[in-house]
Amino acid sequence: MSKLNAKTALAVQDIYRPIFSGYFAIVAAYYIFMSVSHFWYFEGAELLVMGGVAVLAAITSLTSFIQLRNPMEATQVERRQLAVNLLMIANVVVALNLGFEPQKMTYFIIMVMIFALASVNFRQSLFSIVVASIALMTFAGRLEKAAFDGYVFLVIAAAMASLSITYFLRKSIIRIANARLDAIDQLEEVKVVSETLRERSLSDSLTALPNRRAFFERLRELKAQAAQDPIQNDAVWLVLIDLDGFKSVNDIHGHLVGDLLLQAVSGRLNSTKIEGAHVSRMGGDEFNVIVSGGQSQDDIAQWCNDLLKKLAEPYSIEGRSVRISGSIGCKQIDLELDMRSQINQADFALMTAKGQGKNRAVMFNREHAKQAEERYAIEEALRSANLAAEIELVFQPQVDLERGVIVRAEALARWSSPQIGTIQPGKFIQIAEDSGLIGGITLMVVEKAFAELQSWEKPIPISINLSSHDLISDMIIDAIIDQSTALKIDPAMVEFEVTETAMMTDFEKATKNLDRLAGAGFAIALDDFGTGYSNFNYLRTLPIGKLKVDRSFMDNPGDPMTEKVLFSLAGMARTLGVHCLLEGIEDEVDLLMAKRVGADAVQGYLFGAPMTSADLHDAVIGFSGSQAEGQKAAG
Ligand code: C2E
Ligand code: MG
Ligand code: MG
């Protein structure tokens, strides 16, 4: 039989173990019994020899049985078993020598069978069987020839059968051992594969940082630790980082540079680590850090500022120098409370940091808690709102300065929630934009505005505001164009207002959609002009017909600098061939300035606050009447 490798030999031994220990146990029991019974049958020298061999066999097998409970080397088992086998043979040999009884020779045959079944290996089995057979034949020599022949045949048959049994038994045991080893190997392999998969599922492929799943897993771990040891509960901080203007980097330098930048940012986040920090990438340009080193609020604030400085240092990527900054929202978290709401709170701090001008860290505080609560209540109400019933439109007139007539009305949304009451548009529009709910509102406003337009006997051109989300959503732009076609709306009567900030979210996409709206015949106005990027270059390429200068310019109307700026804005509009409208005209002083700087049109409380559609019509009539009277008086 071929030599087994160490692993298989061990597995074989393991399978044999119950057989060996059963063998040693039975032999031990038998010889203990024999040792005792010899006292009855023998005396003197006979007792000494018979008892001696029996006791020796009992002790050897008993100690082997006990030792076998611990792992024993194969050769050691083999030696033990050989010793027990030989002692068994010796026992019969001594007994037959003391008193020859031919029938006792059958013991040798039984032994041959037992050795075969319980042998540790073929070699050992062969040796024991040969010794037993020789012993039998030696004693058989004392018998007559016929009886001798009979025993010889018997022992040869028994030996052949036994050796075959040993051979085949061992062969199947080796097969079982190998199958078992294969199974173990496979199990190992499965373990390794599943571990690799697990690791991969927990790490971000671009930056190799732990990913979103790993972030939540880490939180779960900390939660479990805190539950086990509430006293050791150190302060845990949640730090949310979002890059400022990452989208522009992608747009300007391409996605490859964007990816490399994210890797470089990850590197800096890792190298600016604080004790107990678990940095993960949540996706896009968002990174979260869980800090569980028991730091104080001051430590965290200091670390956040260091981090912001580090992030803002220029990056050298593909031979270009790229700059980016980050905004941070922090919150100390209580591991026993609901995680979702605490993450939302850290997110609120992050949004506050963005709102305060970016590249800063904001720690979630009590004031934020109040604001956040209100915000989430509004968001919830908005989510379940019946927009058709709850959204109403008001209209604010726009007046042409040269002709002195209302030339258009801006449709503005008003929302009154049955749960919360009336909510300022500045507030709910922002929340709807942040929570991805703006699309529904926009489509409702468009639907209602179109319905008004259709119902008016003397239609007044209207303008409708679009948010950044609307502008980059093909679906919403499709819906607007489809609806106007279905209702046979004259697109010349409708203008859409977009802001520069909205354009910047995804300039390419926004431009495409603006072109589609303009292509369908709608007019486009650039709202809140002067508060955003004011990049005059792209104005040329966009289908814009009007600049609506933000009302913040009217905050100090007497200021010569403001007037100068407005003057050049109006001049630039003229150069570009677009209209210039000044917003926020509240009194005569504002109006005079608007005229001086050369604006084409104005909008503001002086001519009317946002009003119902009926009031708008009254205003149109009243306005043209008063203008006519004014002109008559002047003439
Ligand atoms: P906006 O598009 O710049 O609208 C003009 C805002 O200025 C309106 O505020 C209007 O009431 C206010 N306003 C007009 N004249 C004066 C004035 O003389 N003095 C002052 N202090 N304010 C004046 P409102 O209605 O509160 O809307 C605020 C913003 O909410 C709007 O700014 C617009 O960005 C957004 N919004 C309103 N309705 C919608 C809508 O249906 N869709 C979208 N996407 N945004 C809307
Ligand atoms: Mg507007
Ligand atoms: Mg505006």
Side-chain angles (χ1 to χ4, degrees):
M1 215 171 278
S2 61
K3 210 166 158 42
L4 301 180
N5 67 35
K7 240 172 141 183
T8 314
L10 264 177
V12 166
Q13 201 194 338
D14 203 43
I15 296 170
Y16 264 117
R17 184 182 295 270
I19 300 176
F20 299 151
S21 59
Y23 175 72
F24 287 133
I26 291 167
V27 175
Y30 178 77
Y31 283 102
I32 288 168
F33 170 75
M34 289 311 281
S35 309
V36 176
S37 64
H38 285 343
F39 278 94
W40 271 270
Y41 291 104
F42 301 106
E43 281 179 349
E46 280 187 2
L47 174 64
L48 204 66
V49 179
M50 282 302 287
V53 177
V55 168
L56 210 58
I59 291 173
T60 315
S61 47
L62 190 65
T63 52
S64 303
F65 171 75
I66 293 166
Q67 282 173 358
L68 203 63
R69 287 189 194 172
N70 301 320
M72 207 191 265
E73 280 204 14
T75 47
Q76 221 182 335
V77 179
E78 189 181 345
R79 256 184 259 134
R80 291 263 168 180
Q81 210 170 17
L82 192 62
V84 172
N85 290 356
L86 293 178
L87 280 168
M88 282 164 77
I89 296 169
N91 194 283
V92 181
V93 168
V94 170
L96 284 174
N97 270 326
L98 288 177
F100 184 68
E101 293 170 50
Q103 66 276 20
K104 278 193 182 163
M105 287 194 306
T106 48
Y107 286 162
F108 290 119
I109 308 229
I110 295 168
M111 272 190 272
V112 162
M113 306 298 278
I114 293 173
F115 295 162
L117 286 170
S119 277
V120 70
N121 60 30
F122 189 73
R123 172 184 62 192
Q124 187 232 335
S125 147
L126 183 67
F127 184 73
S128 303
I129 288 169
V130 167
V131 172
S133 305
I134 292 171
L136 181 131
M137 284 194 276
T138 315
F139 284 105
R142 300 186 187 179
L143 301 176
E144 289 170 11
K145 178 140 178 18
F148 173 81
D149 287 351
Y151 274 106
V152 168
F153 277 121
L154 205 60
V155 82
I156 288 174
M160 297 286 286
S162 305
L163 286 172
S164 314
I165 288 170
T166 311
Y167 178 78
F168 291 114
L169 183 71
R170 199 169 155 76
K171 208 170 168 177
S172 12
I173 283 178
I174 289 171
R175 197 176 284 174
I176 294 170
N178 279 330
R180 197 185 265 189
L181 288 177
D182 279 353
I184 290 171
D185 280 353
Q186 270 171 17
L187 214 70
E188 272 309 306
E189 222 166 275
V190 168
K191 252 196 216 157
V192 170
V193 169
S194 65
E195 191 52 37
T196 320
L197 284 180
R198 203 186 98 86
E199 264 167 32
R200 201 195 286 177
S201 79
L202 289 176
S203 95
D204 171 59
S205 57
L206 177 68
T207 60
L209 282 180
N211 63 10
R212 168 183 287 273
R213 283 189 53 190
F215 166 78
F216 285 107
E217 194 137 299
R218 177 70 189 137
L219 276 187
R220 261 195 299 278
E221 250 172 51
L222 287 171
K223 242 175 136 77
Q225 268 173 27
Q228 261 183 1
D229 193 357
I231 299 166
Q232 261 281 294
N233 217 338
D234 279 338
V236 176
W237 296 88
L238 191 57
V239 179
L240 311 189
I241 304 161
D242 192 286
L243 300 182
D244 306 322
F246 176 69
K247 174 116 212 347
S248 317
V249 173
N250 256 345
D251 290 346
I252 296 166
H253 301 286
H255 287 270
L256 177 69
V257 171
D259 284 355
L260 293 173
L261 177 64
L262 287 174
Q263 287 172 347
V265 164
S266 309
R268 289 193 191 175
L269 287 178
N270 260 337
S271 65
T272 325
K273 259 190 179 174
I274 189 168
E275 198 201 325
H278 179 272
V279 184
S280 53
R281 177 174 175 227
M282 300 302 277
D285 58 350
E286 283 172 50
F287 298 86
N288 286 6
V289 188
I290 303 167
V291 187
S292 54
Q295 289 86 346
S296 69
Q297 177 161 332
D298 288 346
D299 294 340
I300 294 293
Q302 180 59 46
W303 174 66
C304 285
N305 286 329
D306 292 348
L307 198 59
L308 288 175
K309 267 190 218 133
K310 186 92 195 166
L311 288 179
E313 283 169 19
Y315 298 77
S316 166
I317 293 172
E318 298 266 289
R320 314 172 201 207
S321 173
V322 181
R323 278 181 176 274
I324 196 139
S325 62
S327 295
I328 296 182
C330 298
K331 159 100 179 83
Q332 183 178 359
I333 51 173
D334 186 337
L335 293 165
E336 283 169 22
L337 299 183
D338 168 48
M339 271 308 140
R340 203 50 293 155
S341 63
Q342 299 192 81
I343 296 171
N344 283 343
Q345 289 176 336
D347 202 40
F348 188 88
L350 173 61
M351 279 195 303
T352 309
K354 292 256 178 198
Q356 285 175 359
K358 306 178 177 173
N359 192 20
R360 69 196 60 216
V362 168
M363 186 70 69
F364 188 81
N365 59 30
R366 244 177 246 168
E367 185 51 36
H368 294 140
K370 260 206 327 234
Q371 291 169 11
E373 210 172 298
E374 185 197 32
R375 204 196 137 83
Y376 291 119
I378 293 177
E379 193 181 317
E380 276 314 298
L382 206 50
R383 249 175 234 289
S384 58
N386 174 1
L387 293 179
E390 295 172 28
I391 293 278
E392 277 181 8
L393 294 194
V394 288
F395 298 88
Q396 187 175 35
Q398 294 177 358
V399 174
D400 181 282
L401 279 183
E402 203 180 312
R403 291 187 285 146
V405 288
I406 294 175
V407 284
R408 189 177 290 276
E410 177 176 6
L412 293 158
R414 294 291 176 262
W415 176 42
S416 180
S417 154
Q419 294 107 32
I420 305 176
T422 303
I423 299 131
Q424 293 299 314
K427 209 177 246 178
F428 79 78
I429 295 283
Q430 183 64 49
I431 294 172
E433 283 175 352
D434 293 343
S435 52
L437 297 166
I438 191 70
I441 295 178
T442 300
L443 290 179
M444 186 48 66
V445 169
V446 168
E447 191 183 319
K448 293 202 168 197
F450 284 179
E452 290 281 2
L453 199 54
Q454 274 188 320
S455 71
W456 290 338
E457 221 170 280
K458 271 187 149 180
I460 303 159
I462 52 167
S463 67
I464 299 171
N465 292 283
L466 291 183
S467 291
S468 68
H469 180 265
D470 305 328
L471 212 47
I472 57 172
S473 159
D474 293 344
M475 205 192 72
I476 288 176
I477 302 300
D478 284 344
I480 291 173
I481 295 174
D482 290 351
Q483 204 171 3
S484 81
T485 319
L487 294 173
K488 297 204 172 62
I489 296 290
D490 176 7
M493 295 295 282
V494 182
E495 178 184 72
F496 287 101
E497 297 187 7
V498 299
T499 63
E500 282 177 290
T501 333
M503 290 296 299
M504 287 309 152
T505 315
D506 183 344
F507 190 72
E508 221 171 285
K509 183 115 217 170
T511 307
K512 243 189 224 155
N513 278 330
L514 268 198
D515 285 337
R516 288 175 61 207
L517 287 172
F522 297 109
I524 309 290
L526 199 59
D527 203 0
D528 300 351
F529 191 70
T531 56
Y533 296 75
S534 303
N535 183 339
F536 307 128
N537 276 335
Y538 72 77
L539 286 179
R540 260 182 252 269
T541 62
L542 295 177
I544 286 166
K546 185 191 283 173
L547 298 183
K548 290 186 79 182
V549 178
D550 193 68
R551 66 165 187 267
S552 56
F553 284 95
M554 289 299 150
D555 286 349
N556 28 8
D559 173 32
M561 196 59 212
T562 306
E563 190 158 334
K564 253 189 200 158
V565 172
L566 287 177
F567 188 80
S568 48
L569 282 182
M572 190 193 64
R574 223 168 302 124
T575 316
L576 289 169
V578 300
H579 275 80
C580 175
L581 179 146
L582 293 198
E583 288 186 298
I585 304 300
E586 292 183 351
D587 52 34
E588 296 294 338
V589 178
D590 295 344
L591 180 61
L592 273 177
M593 185 168 75
K595 285 181 175 167
R596 270 203 309 275
V597 300
D600 299 298
V602 285
Q603 179 180 344
Y605 293 162
L606 180 64
F607 304 100
M611 55 189 84
T612 62
S613 124
D615 288 347
L616 174 70
H617 277 83
D618 290 349
V620 170
I621 295 164
F623 207 79
S624 54
S626 72
Q627 275 315 104
E629 271 165 32
Q631 267 166 11
K632 228 192 279 169

